[in-house]
Amino acid sequence: MTAYTTREIALDSVTLHVAEQGVGPLVLLVHGWPECHRSWRHQIAALAEAGYRAVAPDLRGFGGSSCPAEIEAYTQLNLVGDMVALVSALGESRAVIIGHDWGAPVAWNAALLRPDIFHAVAGLSVPYAPRNRGPITQVFRELGMAKFYMMYFQEGRPGRARIRGRCRGRRCGASCGRPQAS
């Protein structure tokens, strides 16, 4: 079987870079952080060989997809909207959606908000959790998880590194100061 191909698909507000392979029912593979479609390379081939059309997009702001400057452009509603628009742009009306790591909440929310499109869902390596009752850092402290890795990246933690925008080719975070490609 041939390797997957990649292309750009223009949606309403973003252009997504996608990898795809196979013919059959559509399966969307949503990557985690700080990954891109390539993290699904083995699953794309396996799904295609099993008779599915496997499509793994780079989410907005990642890999080869467009990178809106506004923070508000990265809400779950926007990410789910991208998946809904992608299904339509691929000429399909239904899909299975699978998310890994940071992509798992995108998959769950897609299935919760649009069960008419996403008829099956899987979340890998991150358990489903309903909306928090407060800020996530407060919830972690209440649960006795003050040493959870996410806590180390919060403001006010002396001696701990902070996550900053890291340039990766033509896509980068607005905080890094490097100009973005058009």
Side-chain angles (χ1 to χ4, degrees):
M1 178 160 278
T2 61
Y4 66 80
T5 60
T6 62
R7 65 179 169 132
E8 311 285 318
I9 298 179
L11 306 177
D12 287 338
S13 61
V14 294
T15 298
L16 297 183
H17 179 81
V18 303
E20 60 187 322
Q21 184 178 352
V23 177
L26 179 61
V27 178
L28 289 185
L29 302 166
V30 186
H31 65 78
W33 183 90
E35 302 169 333
C36 65
H37 73 273
R38 186 152 165 69
S39 65
W40 292 106
R41 64 192 175 281
H42 302 296
Q43 292 78 13
I44 292 170
L47 286 165
E49 195 170 307
Y52 294 93
R53 181 182 183 189
V55 175
D58 289 345
L59 293 174
R60 58 173 60 205
F62 289 85
S65 292
S66 58
C67 183
E70 308 80 26
I71 292 171
E72 299 79 17
Y74 295 90
T75 66
Q76 281 292 313
L77 286 176
N78 285 312
L79 297 171
V80 168
D82 292 347
M83 297 304 102
V84 169
L86 179 58
V87 170
S88 179
L90 292 167
E92 302 288 344
S93 60
R94 298 188 75 199
V96 170
I97 188 164
I98 302 170
H100 168 255
D101 186 60
W102 197 249
V106 176
W108 300 320
N109 284 310
L112 284 168
L113 295 170
R114 294 304 304 268
D116 57 316
I117 297 173
F118 301 103
H119 58 95
V121 62
L124 307 177
S125 70
V126 176
Y128 173 75
R131 185 179 177 113
N132 291 323
R133 60 187 177 276
I136 190 73
T137 53
Q138 174 188 336
V139 173
F140 283 161
R141 284 185 194 98
E142 289 172 5
L143 294 173
M145 298 172 61
K147 294 188 179 195
F148 187 67
Y149 80 94
M150 185 181 205
M151 300 295 282
Y152 287 94
F153 297 107
Q154 302 304 310
E155 296 292 333
R157 294 289 299 212
R160 301 292 180 187
R162 292 189 188 132
I163 297 174
R164 299 184 59 111
R166 296 181 349 192
C167 294
R168 299 203 178 207
R170 64 186 183 101
R171 298 287 172 231
C172 69
S175 65
C176 73
R178 251 171 110 183
Q180 294 185 358
S182 53

